[in-house]
Amino acid sequence: MTVPRTDVVAALRSCRLWRTASPDAVEWLAASARVSDAPRGTVLVTEGEPAERFGVVVAGKVRVCHVQADGRTVVLETVGSGGAFAAVSALAGGRYPATVEAVTPVTVAWIEPESVFSMLDAEPQVLRSLVADLASRVVDLTSVVQTLALDVPERLARYLFQRSLAAGEATPEGLRVPLDMTKTELAASLGTVPETLSRAFARLRDDGVLTVRGSEVVVHDVGALARLGSRYEE
């Protein structure tokens, strides 16, 4: 087995799937991985194909997305360095449920399921962290499904409310909230198109809930976002 690259070892050590694994086990896994580089826009995984392996991002970013029947693309998640993608389907031996493409130039370490199973045989304590991480992914996907059941203004309100909790900064005008992505990327993550997203922003602005300022918003009524994002009416 070849000596693994230091950047691959570092990325695998930061991966939460096997965070309780020993350094030797992670280095062994890194040595067994197949590493590849891809330019921006490359399709790394195609929805519906047999899930024979999964990836860990060493450098760059990828997005996991699903194309709906009407042609709209829904971004399920964006994965950066140390993050795994397509792990659930590969470990289950099924088919890829979504497409994965490179958002930037990327380096990916491809892991065979049998390599993970061999690690678990040698270090069974890793199983607990593996199950916990996979379970959290199911919870996150459930949240995505719940969001898609809402209309676009409600989806936007839910996203902005969550961003307010995570990154909001109090100012005399209200809560300053960075969007964390471009409006085109945000539209895709909410399962809509930029034009519809713009109308949703305009509705929230006209209702006095927020003010849009480039790549950030100032939220004047956080409670309104929470109520709209959960479909709760007083």
Side-chain angles (χ1 to χ4, degrees):
M1 191 170 290
T2 59
V3 177
R5 289 168 34 173
T6 55
D7 59 340
V8 175
V9 173
L12 265 60
R13 280 180 177 164
S14 65
C15 183
R16 293 183 56 82
L17 282 173
W18 40 71
R19 61 183 180 275
T20 56
S22 68
D24 287 346
V26 174
E27 288 204 22
W28 177 87
L29 192 63
S32 70
R34 185 173 69 81
V35 182
S36 64
D37 300 308
R40 176 183 177 183
T42 301
V43 175
L44 304 170
V45 162
T46 301
E47 182 175 345
E49 290 185 346
E52 298 175 347
R53 59 183 183 168
F54 66 95
V56 176
V57 179
V58 176
K61 289 184 179 180
V62 305
R63 68 174 188 172
V64 182
C65 53
H66 168 68
V67 179
Q68 297 179 306
D70 60 5
R72 290 182 298 174
T73 298
V74 179
V75 177
L76 303 177
E77 64 175 334
T78 300
V79 181
S81 179
F85 60 87
V88 175
S89 51
L91 292 173
R95 293 181 177 272
Y96 294 122
T99 294
V100 181
E101 62 181 25
V103 178
T104 67
V106 294
T107 300
V108 176
W110 294 100
I111 309 293
E112 301 289 337
E114 285 303 322
S115 296
V116 178
F117 298 147
S118 294
M119 174 195 281
L120 295 177
D121 288 338
E123 300 192 2
Q125 81 281 359
V126 178
L127 183 60
R128 186 167 186 170
S129 64
L130 180 69
V131 170
D133 189 78
L134 295 180
S136 71
R137 290 168 186 268
V138 173
V139 172
D140 291 342
L141 182 58
T142 300
S143 177
V144 171
V145 173
Q146 291 173 337
T147 297
L148 293 177
L150 305 173
D151 64 23
V152 175
E154 291 169 342
R155 295 178 208 171
L156 176 60
R158 173 174 286 197
Y159 164 77
L160 292 175
F161 176 67
Q162 293 170 343
R163 285 294 296 164
S164 297
L165 297 179
E169 178 184 345
T171 72
E173 296 178 278
L175 206 59
R176 186 171 66 85
V177 182
L179 295 180
D180 192 37
M181 63 183 81
T182 68
K183 290 187 174 70
T184 298
E185 292 170 339
L186 178 56
S189 72
L190 297 179
T192 188
V193 295
E195 293 78 8
T196 303
L197 179 66
S198 294
R199 289 194 291 271
F201 269 117
R203 170 178 161 182
L204 294 176
R205 180 200 62 210
D206 294 345
D207 289 345
V209 177
L210 54 80
T211 300
V212 181
R213 291 180 179 168
S215 61
E216 64 181 28
V217 299
V218 177
V219 178
H220 308 300
D221 190 343
V222 177
L225 289 180
R227 290 189 295 273
L228 184 60
S230 62
R231 283 183 171 167
Y232 172 74
E233 297 291 342
E234 294 182 326

